[in-house]
Amino acid sequence: MTRYSVDLDRRELIASWGTGEGDLSRCIAALPDDADTSALLALARSLTQLSDAAWRTYTHPSSAAGSPEPDGEGWRREREREAFGRVPDAITEPHLPHGGTMTVSYSPLVESAHRAGRALHGLHGPGGPGDEALAKAVRAEAALELAAVESAELGDLTGRAQQAVLLSREDASPVQVAAADHLLQQDPFGPTALFSTVDPTAAAVAAAHWLAAAAEVAAEATGEDPTQVVLEADDIEALPHETPTLVLGLIQDGATPYEAVAALVRHAMHITDGLLLDPVALRDQLEDFEETVAEHTGEDDPDLDDVAVRLTPLDPKRPARDLLEDLLAGIHGCWLLHSAHDGPDEDDEDDGLGDTQDRDDDEQAVAHQRRSRERFARLVRAAAAAHRDRLI
């Protein structure tokens, strides 16, 4: 989301947002010289809350909430998204205290807009000097932020909408999945642009597809079960193998890359929100965990007081991006395993770099690694193309 702050030296309202490569900022408007700092901070805070509420409609779309029945979660999310059109009027004519009471909107988005309007009203009062210029700038800024959310929903992450690359979303745009797939076709190991130009949930969907292809290639070379290749590669190099192995198992059991990724990201986002939607599954997990500890300790009733259990394999603060990183690490692990069992081909004998006998060991190692990665990438591209239907 965009964060708003007050530059007290320049007396300016500042907006800043992340891009995946760093943060950008811009001046929104000049602030009144005689305005109280608390009043200015109230304006900045309300705009930050407005941005947070607006981007939540992106990260928690109604399409991911199940039934759209009245008063259900999907219905509430849809109503909140429809509230975008009420923001300008709420800023212009906010609810004000009257007779000791004040109307408060049920919509977090609309109420934050009313708060921004009340903050503007409190700076100078209606018709005060310079307040119309500031109000106009704030309305324009709110419109820009809402337009960024709308662009992200359409799969366009340019401009202000680029901040979506830092957010986890319960759903994945087909446009963004296709964009991520295109990047992985160019580099199956995951180019840096995957983290700065694509929604991380959509990128993880595409990466899950390419991980399954990489696991197939590694399994063919080693004779291992495709679902276990990343775990085997962990013996070569320390890897975050748990999540890639889980995703590979889900895909082998019939889940699509979208279903596997969306389920994991959605579950982690619910944990972040303080919700546990499947307590029965947690009970089963705890029972399995207790049995494992009992086998390890040899005790029938092991003490679990000092043992912690993770509620999600993902980082709940950044689940989609964490998942994407793990899946790409899984692809790297598949290459490690494949490389360990990969025999030489004609490229090893003549790679266009001259006689290998004339090169030192480091140069030979680098050349061999490059050839190995290129061979692996070619095989993975072929496997991904052969199973293209699972991504669509």
Side-chain angles (χ1 to χ4, degrees):
M1 67 178 185
T2 300
R3 297 189 61 85
Y4 297 85
S5 59
V6 174
D7 186 328
L8 291 176
D9 291 333
R10 294 178 178 272
R11 306 298 290 183
E12 292 176 343
L13 179 64
I14 305 297
S16 61
W17 61 94
T19 67
E21 298 177 292
D23 289 358
L24 295 175
S25 65
R26 65 185 292 265
C27 173
I28 302 304
L31 296 170
D33 291 334
D34 59 347
D36 180 71
T37 299
S38 294
L40 297 176
L41 292 176
L43 175 61
R45 184 172 61 253
S46 62
L47 288 174
T48 298
Q49 292 168 342
L50 188 151
S51 175
D52 185 32
W55 280 104
R56 186 175 175 83
T57 68
Y58 172 78
T59 59
H60 296 69
S62 59
S63 59
S67 174
E69 294 296 323
D71 295 325
E73 180 62 19
W75 180 87
R76 283 192 291 270
R77 292 184 181 187
E78 185 63 29
R79 299 290 82 72
E80 184 71 351
R81 178 59 183 82
E82 292 173 352
F84 275 33
R86 297 162 57 192
V87 168
D89 288 343
I91 295 176
T92 303
E93 298 182 5
H95 292 154
L96 300 173
H98 179 72
T101 64
M102 184 174 63
T103 301
V104 176
S105 174
Y106 282 109
S107 163
L109 176 67
V110 175
E111 180 55 28
S112 63
H114 280 291
R115 289 173 181 170
R118 286 195 290 272
L120 287 170
H121 184 275
L123 283 173
H124 279 296
D131 83 335
E132 181 51 38
L134 177 58
K136 181 179 180 180
V138 167
R139 288 194 297 269
E141 172 60 23
L144 180 63
E145 191 71 4
L146 296 181
V149 176
E150 293 170 342
S151 293
E153 289 172 337
L154 296 174
D156 179 3
L157 302 192
T158 57
R160 181 75 70 90
Q162 190 178 5
Q163 61 187 293
V165 303
L166 297 175
L167 303 175
S168 294
R169 193 177 192 226
E170 290 185 359
D171 205 349
S173 160
V175 173
Q176 286 288 298
V177 173
D181 180 57
H182 178 70
L183 290 171
L184 286 163
Q185 287 175 2
Q186 298 175 35
D187 179 5
F189 292 94
T192 56
L194 208 58
F195 292 92
S196 61
T197 62
V198 184
D199 174 282
T201 302
V205 171
H209 167 62
W210 284 82
L211 171 62
E216 178 183 319
V217 171
E220 289 178 356
T222 64
E224 296 286 346
D225 186 323
T227 65
Q228 299 300 308
V229 291
V230 179
L231 186 59
E232 290 295 325
D234 184 59
D235 290 335
I236 302 174
E237 179 182 309
L239 296 167
H241 57 79
E242 180 182 359
T243 305
T245 300
L246 176 59
V247 169
L248 287 171
L250 291 171
I251 292 176
Q252 187 177 71
D253 290 341
T256 65
Y258 169 81
E259 291 168 343
V261 166
L264 285 171
V265 172
R266 189 175 300 135
H267 179 263
M269 291 177 68
H270 287 148
I271 296 298
T272 304
D273 290 339
L275 300 174
L276 185 62
L277 299 186
D278 194 353
V280 174
L282 176 62
R283 183 184 63 193
D284 294 341
Q285 178 186 353
L286 292 175
E287 290 176 351
D288 292 343
F289 179 74
E290 187 171 7
E291 290 177 2
T292 300
V293 174
E295 292 176 1
H296 180 72
T297 61
E299 301 175 1
D300 293 335
D301 188 18
D303 183 7
L304 302 180
D305 289 343
D306 296 326
V307 180
V309 178
R310 295 195 65 178
L311 297 179
T312 169
L314 305 180
D315 182 346
K317 297 185 296 296
R318 48 193 291 280
R321 203 170 176 88
D322 184 43
L323 177 56
L324 175 59
E325 292 169 355
D326 287 357
L327 295 178
L328 295 179
I331 294 174
H332 171 74
C334 291
W335 166 69
L336 288 175
L337 198 62
H338 182 269
S339 180
H341 292 77
D342 189 20
D345 65 8
E346 62 274 10
D347 289 339
D348 288 311
E349 299 173 3
D350 181 12
D351 61 3
L353 296 177
D355 188 352
T356 58
Q357 298 299 318
D358 296 334
R359 294 180 241 136
D360 61 30
D361 291 343
D362 288 343
E363 289 176 327
Q364 291 184 43
V366 170
H368 172 74
Q369 184 182 78
R370 176 182 59 77
R371 291 191 299 267
S372 174
R373 286 173 68 91
E374 289 175 351
R375 284 197 299 272
F376 181 74
R378 287 197 300 269
L379 294 170
V380 172
R381 288 188 183 99
H387 297 286
R388 177 75 181 174
D389 57 309
R390 70 184 166 205
L391 188 59
I392 301 174

